[in-house]
Amino acid sequence: AEALGTAEGTRLARWLTSESPALPLSRRRTAGARVVVELGELLDVQEDFPAEFRALGKPVTTYGDRWHCYHWTQDVQPHWLAILPERRELVAARLVRDVSAVAVDDTRGAAAVLPLLAESGGVAGQATHLCVAYGLGARHPEDRLAAVDALLVLAARGQLDAARLGADLGELVRNGAVKPSRLAESVRTGAATGANATIWGILRHTLTALLADLDGDAKPAHARALGDLLTVAAECAERSGARGELPHLAQTAARGGSSRLITQARRLRSALVEGVAA
């Protein structure tokens, strides 16, 4: 390429022989009930890309007017990941606010991109996992199913960070961005494919955050539907033979009463203690 003696040949040679580009500095920000990701600037994109694409190297901010190019319409959504191949996280950061709408605003369709995101290349970092988390809490079943597909693809490729996704879901439920009843439907669908250990690995981190809220005097808004999540968690723990302690579970299980929340907390505690494998 360099022997061509052209500017583009030289640029291509430099790109082929360079190290993999590092991700820009990123940070999580809260905007109302939403959690989004901000990105710093990408100098390599601004310097090396054609002029029409250099805007992709500009910072992504929480309160900007636009989070992606106005050309990125629903019609060309399947091709979004081709704009920055092998740099999935950069696209995910520009999509996370739109994807969040399927959970926060009950819109339809924005989560359809999630399986494509999971099948893309590059780091699957906090923006990718946040997109999946919002999809799992979507209002419409087809969006939830797309998120489950993405979750399973990431898991099959060894790119799923269960602790990160579980913690994200716990934060989003506590913020009110994701309804636990919808999340329960999504993880139940995922477990039905046989991915019991994967789903349990996610829910153990989600439940740690949500059960901690029950220790206070005030009853959190998500407490009513927490029994559904505990049911799926107990089923997955039983089927996968999971063992170990889950913070705050013993206190919940020790409460009096026979509500679904208390009953399923006791069931989960028994499964983790006894190592039940269905």
Side-chain angles (χ1 to χ4, degrees), residues 204-226:
R204 68 187 305 271
H205 296 282
T206 304
L207 290 171
T208 294
L210 300 182
L211 291 174
D213 293 340
L214 300 181
D215 290 342
D217 295 332
K219 191 173 183 179
H222 58 256
R224 182 183 298 275
L226 193 51

PDB file of all heavy atoms in Angstrom, residues 204-226:
ATOM      1  N   ARG A 204     -27.678 -12.499  40.378  1.00  0.00           N
ATOM      2  CA  ARG A 204     -27.102 -12.424  41.722  1.00  0.00           C
ATOM      3  C   ARG A 204     -26.581 -11.016  42.010  1.00  0.00           C
ATOM      4  O   ARG A 204     -26.609 -10.554  43.163  1.00  0.00           O
ATOM      5  CB  ARG A 204     -26.006 -13.472  41.900  1.00  0.00           C
ATOM      6  CG  ARG A 204     -24.754 -13.251  41.094  1.00  0.00           C
ATOM      7  CD  ARG A 204     -23.800 -14.442  41.225  1.00  0.00           C
ATOM      8  NE  ARG A 204     -23.507 -14.717  42.611  1.00  0.00           N
ATOM      9  CZ  ARG A 204     -22.500 -14.150  43.277  1.00  0.00           C
ATOM     10  NH1 ARG A 204     -21.710 -13.279  42.672  1.00  0.00           N
ATOM     11  NH2 ARG A 204     -22.278 -14.448  44.542  1.00  0.00           N
ATOM     12  N   HIS A 205     -26.117 -10.323  40.992  1.00  0.00           N
ATOM     13  CA  HIS A 205     -25.638  -8.955  41.188  1.00  0.00           C
ATOM     14  C   HIS A 205     -26.799  -7.957  41.203  1.00  0.00           C
ATOM     15  O   HIS A 205     -26.754  -6.969  41.939  1.00  0.00           O
ATOM     16  CB  HIS A 205     -24.649  -8.595  40.082  1.00  0.00           C
ATOM     17  CG  HIS A 205     -23.403  -9.423  40.112  1.00  0.00           C
ATOM     18  ND1 HIS A 205     -22.378  -9.201  41.009  1.00  0.00           N
ATOM     19  CD2 HIS A 205     -23.038 -10.514  39.377  1.00  0.00           C
ATOM     20  CE1 HIS A 205     -21.419 -10.091  40.820  1.00  0.00           C
ATOM     21  NE2 HIS A 205     -21.798 -10.904  39.833  1.00  0.00           N
ATOM     22  N   THR A 206     -27.817  -8.229  40.405  1.00  0.00           N
ATOM     23  CA  THR A 206     -28.999  -7.368  40.423  1.00  0.00           C
ATOM     24  C   THR A 206     -29.693  -7.437  41.771  1.00  0.00           C
ATOM     25  O   THR A 206     -30.060  -6.413  42.365  1.00  0.00           O
ATOM     26  CB  THR A 206     -29.977  -7.785  39.311  1.00  0.00           C
ATOM     27  OG1 THR A 206     -29.301  -7.761  38.051  1.00  0.00           O
ATOM     28  CG2 THR A 206     -31.183  -6.857  39.262  1.00  0.00           C
ATOM     29  N   LEU A 207     -29.889  -8.643  42.265  1.00  0.00           N
ATOM     30  CA  LEU A 207     -30.613  -8.836  43.524  1.00  0.00           C
ATOM     31  C   LEU A 207     -29.842  -8.304  44.722  1.00  0.00           C
ATOM     32  O   LEU A 207     -30.447  -7.863  45.703  1.00  0.00           O
ATOM     33  CB  LEU A 207     -30.921 -10.325  43.719  1.00  0.00           C
ATOM     34  CG  LEU A 207     -31.980 -10.885  42.759  1.00  0.00           C
ATOM     35  CD1 LEU A 207     -32.058 -12.403  42.891  1.00  0.00           C
ATOM     36  CD2 LEU A 207     -33.340 -10.261  43.044  1.00  0.00           C
ATOM     37  N   THR A 208     -28.528  -8.351  44.658  1.00  0.00           N
ATOM     38  CA  THR A 208     -27.737  -7.802  45.768  1.00  0.00           C
ATOM     39  C   THR A 208     -28.099  -6.342  46.004  1.00  0.00           C
ATOM     40  O   THR A 208     -28.260  -5.898  47.151  1.00  0.00           O
ATOM     41  CB  THR A 208     -26.234  -7.937  45.469  1.00  0.00           C
ATOM     42  OG1 THR A 208     -25.883  -9.325  45.426  1.00  0.00           O
ATOM     43  CG2 THR A 208     -25.408  -7.254  46.545  1.00  0.00           C
ATOM     44  N   ALA A 209     -28.247  -5.587  44.916  1.00  0.00           N
ATOM     45  CA  ALA A 209     -28.598  -4.165  45.048  1.00  0.00           C
ATOM     46  C   ALA A 209     -30.039  -3.984  45.494  1.00  0.00           C
ATOM     47  O   ALA A 209     -30.341  -3.145  46.360  1.00  0.00           O
ATOM     48  CB  ALA A 209     -28.365  -3.452  43.712  1.00  0.00           C
ATOM     49  N   LEU A 210     -30.952  -4.777  44.930  1.00  0.00           N
ATOM     50  CA  LEU A 210     -32.372  -4.570  45.210  1.00  0.00           C
ATOM     51  C   LEU A 210     -32.760  -5.069  46.596  1.00  0.00           C
ATOM     52  O   LEU A 210     -33.609  -4.468  47.268  1.00  0.00           O
ATOM     53  CB  LEU A 210     -33.211  -5.269  44.141  1.00  0.00           C
ATOM     54  CG  LEU A 210     -32.971  -4.795  42.712  1.00  0.00           C
ATOM     55  CD1 LEU A 210     -33.902  -5.515  41.743  1.00  0.00           C
ATOM     56  CD2 LEU A 210     -33.137  -3.285  42.592  1.00  0.00           C
ATOM     57  N   LEU A 211     -32.168  -6.160  47.036  1.00  0.00           N
ATOM     58  CA  LEU A 211     -32.484  -6.669  48.372  1.00  0.00           C
ATOM     59  C   LEU A 211     -31.934  -5.751  49.458  1.00  0.00           C
ATOM     60  O   LEU A 211     -32.502  -5.668  50.554  1.00  0.00           O
ATOM     61  CB  LEU A 211     -31.913  -8.081  48.557  1.00  0.00           C
ATOM     62  CG  LEU A 211     -32.581  -9.185  47.728  1.00  0.00           C
ATOM     63  CD1 LEU A 211     -31.826 -10.501  47.901  1.00  0.00           C
ATOM     64  CD2 LEU A 211     -34.047  -9.367  48.123  1.00  0.00           C
ATOM     65  N   ALA A 212     -30.849  -5.065  49.160  1.00  0.00           N
ATOM     66  CA  ALA A 212     -30.291  -4.130  50.144  1.00  0.00           C
ATOM     67  C   ALA A 212     -31.290  -3.040  50.486  1.00  0.00           C
ATOM     68  O   ALA A 212     -31.342  -2.561  51.630  1.00  0.00           O
ATOM     69  CB  ALA A 212     -28.998  -3.521  49.613  1.00  0.00           C
ATOM     70  N   ASP A 213     -32.120  -2.646  49.517  1.00  0.00           N
ATOM     71  CA  ASP A 213     -33.113  -1.595  49.757  1.00  0.00           C
ATOM     72  C   ASP A 213     -34.193  -2.028  50.734  1.00  0.00           C
ATOM     73  O   ASP A 213     -34.862  -1.191  51.347  1.00  0.00           O
ATOM     74  CB  ASP A 213     -33.772  -1.185  48.435  1.00  0.00           C
ATOM     75  CG  ASP A 213     -32.799  -0.484  47.500  1.00  0.00           C
ATOM     76  OD1 ASP A 213     -31.769   0.009  47.986  1.00  0.00           O
ATOM     77  OD2 ASP A 213     -33.071  -0.438  46.293  1.00  0.00           O
ATOM     78  N   LEU A 214     -34.401  -3.332  50.872  1.00  0.00           N
ATOM     79  CA  LEU A 214     -35.450  -3.827  51.755  1.00  0.00           C
ATOM     80  C   LEU A 214     -35.060  -3.745  53.223  1.00  0.00           C
ATOM     81  O   LEU A 214     -35.911  -3.915  54.100  1.00  0.00           O
ATOM     82  CB  LEU A 214     -35.792  -5.285  51.406  1.00  0.00           C
ATOM     83  CG  LEU A 214     -36.296  -5.545  49.985  1.00  0.00           C
ATOM     84  CD1 LEU A 214     -36.608  -7.023  49.805  1.00  0.00           C
ATOM     85  CD2 LEU A 214     -37.520  -4.699  49.670  1.00  0.00           C
ATOM     86  N   ASP A 215     -33.776  -3.523  53.487  1.00  0.00           N
ATOM     87  CA  ASP A 215     -33.328  -3.467  54.875  1.00  0.00           C
ATOM     88  C   ASP A 215     -33.700  -2.165  55.561  1.00  0.00           C
ATOM     89  O   ASP A 215     -33.654  -2.058  56.781  1.00  0.00           O
ATOM     90  CB  ASP A 215     -31.795  -3.659  54.945  1.00  0.00           C
ATOM     91  CG  ASP A 215     -31.387  -5.081  54.605  1.00  0.00           C
ATOM     92  OD1 ASP A 215     -32.252  -5.973  54.647  1.00  0.00           O
ATOM     93  OD2 ASP A 215     -30.207  -5.296  54.294  1.00  0.00           O
ATOM     94  N   GLY A 216     -34.080  -1.154  54.778  1.00  0.00           N
ATOM     95  CA  GLY A 216     -34.452   0.120  55.374  1.00  0.00           C
ATOM     96  C   GLY A 216     -35.906   0.159  55.818  1.00  0.00           C
ATOM     97  O   GLY A 216     -36.668  -0.797  55.615  1.00  0.00           O
ATOM     98  N   ASP A 217     -36.282   1.253  56.427  1.00  0.00           N
ATOM     99  CA  ASP A 217     -37.656   1.405  56.912  1.00  0.00           C
ATOM    100  C   ASP A 217     -38.634   1.661  55.766  1.00  0.00           C
ATOM    101  O   ASP A 217     -39.768   1.179  55.780  1.00  0.00           O
ATOM    102  CB  ASP A 217     -37.729   2.564  57.920  1.00  0.00           C
ATOM    103  CG  ASP A 217     -36.921   2.275  59.180  1.00  0.00           C
ATOM    104  OD1 ASP A 217     -36.773   1.075  59.523  1.00  0.00           O
ATOM    105  OD2 ASP A 217     -36.433   3.234  59.801  1.00  0.00           O
ATOM    106  N   ALA A 218     -38.205   2.431  54.776  1.00  0.00           N
ATOM    107  CA  ALA A 218     -39.083   2.761  53.651  1.00  0.00           C
ATOM    108  C   ALA A 218     -39.106   1.612  52.653  1.00  0.00           C
ATOM    109  O   ALA A 218     -38.080   1.005  52.355  1.00  0.00           O
ATOM    110  CB  ALA A 218     -38.610   4.037  52.970  1.00  0.00           C
ATOM    111  N   LYS A 219     -40.289   1.311  52.139  1.00  0.00           N
ATOM    112  CA  LYS A 219     -40.437   0.232  51.177  1.00  0.00           C
ATOM    113  C   LYS A 219     -40.227   0.789  49.769  1.00  0.00           C
ATOM    114  O   LYS A 219     -40.972   1.663  49.324  1.00  0.00           O
ATOM    115  CB  LYS A 219     -41.835  -0.380  51.286  1.00  0.00           C
ATOM    116  CG  LYS A 219     -41.990  -1.687  50.514  1.00  0.00           C
ATOM    117  CD  LYS A 219     -43.331  -2.317  50.808  1.00  0.00           C
ATOM    118  CE  LYS A 219     -43.462  -3.659  50.099  1.00  0.00           C
ATOM    119  NZ  LYS A 219     -44.773  -4.305  50.389  1.00  0.00           N
ATOM    120  N   PRO A 220     -39.205   0.302  49.035  1.00  0.00           N
ATOM    121  CA  PRO A 220     -38.943   0.848  47.699  1.00  0.00           C
ATOM    122  C   PRO A 220     -40.050   0.487  46.718  1.00  0.00           C
ATOM    123  O   PRO A 220     -40.775  -0.491  46.898  1.00  0.00           O
ATOM    124  CB  PRO A 220     -37.617   0.184  47.311  1.00  0.00           C
ATOM    125  CG  PRO A 220     -37.578  -1.077  48.111  1.00  0.00           C
ATOM    126  CD  PRO A 220     -38.266  -0.762  49.403  1.00  0.00           C
ATOM    127  N   ALA A 221     -40.120   1.257  45.636  1.00  0.00           N
ATOM    128  CA  ALA A 221     -41.186   1.054  44.650  1.00  0.00           C
ATOM    129  C   ALA A 221     -41.082  -0.296  43.964  1.00  0.00           C
ATOM    130  O   ALA A 221     -42.090  -0.885  43.565  1.00  0.00           O
ATOM    131  CB  ALA A 221     -41.137   2.173  43.605  1.00  0.00           C
ATOM    132  N   HIS A 222     -39.858  -0.809  43.836  1.00  0.00           N
ATOM    133  CA  HIS A 222     -39.687  -2.060  43.113  1.00  0.00           C
ATOM    134  C   HIS A 222     -39.946  -3.298  43.972  1.00  0.00           C
ATOM    135  O   HIS A 222     -39.898  -4.416  43.470  1.00  0.00           O
ATOM    136  CB  HIS A 222     -38.274  -2.149  42.529  1.00  0.00           C
ATOM    137  CG  HIS A 222     -37.186  -2.044  43.564  1.00  0.00           C
ATOM    138  ND1 HIS A 222     -36.440  -0.896  43.739  1.00  0.00           N
ATOM    139  CD2 HIS A 222     -36.727  -2.919  44.487  1.00  0.00           C
ATOM    140  CE1 HIS A 222     -35.562  -1.081  44.704  1.00  0.00           C
ATOM    141  NE2 HIS A 222     -35.712  -2.302  45.181  1.00  0.00           N
ATOM    142  N   ALA A 223     -40.244  -3.113  45.251  1.00  0.00           N
ATOM    143  CA  ALA A 223     -40.406  -4.259  46.153  1.00  0.00           C
ATOM    144  C   ALA A 223     -41.573  -5.150  45.736  1.00  0.00           C
ATOM    145  O   ALA A 223     -41.497  -6.385  45.862  1.00  0.00           O
ATOM    146  CB  ALA A 223     -40.601  -3.772  47.589  1.00  0.00           C
ATOM    147  N   ARG A 224     -42.646  -4.566  45.219  1.00  0.00           N
ATOM    148  CA  ARG A 224     -43.835  -5.338  44.888  1.00  0.00           C
ATOM    149  C   ARG A 224     -43.546  -6.406  43.831  1.00  0.00           C
ATOM    150  O   ARG A 224     -44.065  -7.519  43.910  1.00  0.00           O
ATOM    151  CB  ARG A 224     -44.942  -4.411  44.391  1.00  0.00           C
ATOM    152  CG  ARG A 224     -46.253  -5.122  44.074  1.00  0.00           C
ATOM    153  CD  ARG A 224     -47.266  -4.123  43.521  1.00  0.00           C
ATOM    154  NE  ARG A 224     -47.579  -3.091  44.480  1.00  0.00           N
ATOM    155  CZ  ARG A 224     -48.498  -3.206  45.442  1.00  0.00           C
ATOM    156  NH1 ARG A 224     -49.196  -4.329  45.550  1.00  0.00           N
ATOM    157  NH2 ARG A 224     -48.723  -2.219  46.278  1.00  0.00           N
ATOM    158  N   ALA A 225     -42.724  -6.063  42.839  1.00  0.00           N
ATOM    159  CA  ALA A 225     -42.457  -6.998  41.742  1.00  0.00           C
ATOM    160  C   ALA A 225     -41.173  -7.787  41.944  1.00  0.00           C
ATOM    161  O   ALA A 225     -40.795  -8.573  41.080  1.00  0.00           O
ATOM    162  CB  ALA A 225     -42.398  -6.242  40.422  1.00  0.00           C
ATOM    163  N   LEU A 226     -40.516  -7.596  43.077  1.00  0.00           N
ATOM    164  CA  LEU A 226     -39.247  -8.275  43.309  1.00  0.00           C
ATOM    165  C   LEU A 226     -39.427  -9.789  43.427  1.00  0.00           C
ATOM    166  O   LEU A 226     -38.510 -10.557  43.133  1.00  0.00           O
ATOM    167  CB  LEU A 226     -38.584  -7.712  44.567  1.00  0.00           C
ATOM    168  CG  LEU A 226     -37.129  -8.062  44.823  1.00  0.00           C
ATOM    169  CD1 LEU A 226     -36.273  -7.766  43.599  1.00  0.00           C
ATOM    170  CD2 LEU A 226     -36.613  -7.289  46.033  1.00  0.00           C
TER     171      LEU A 226
END
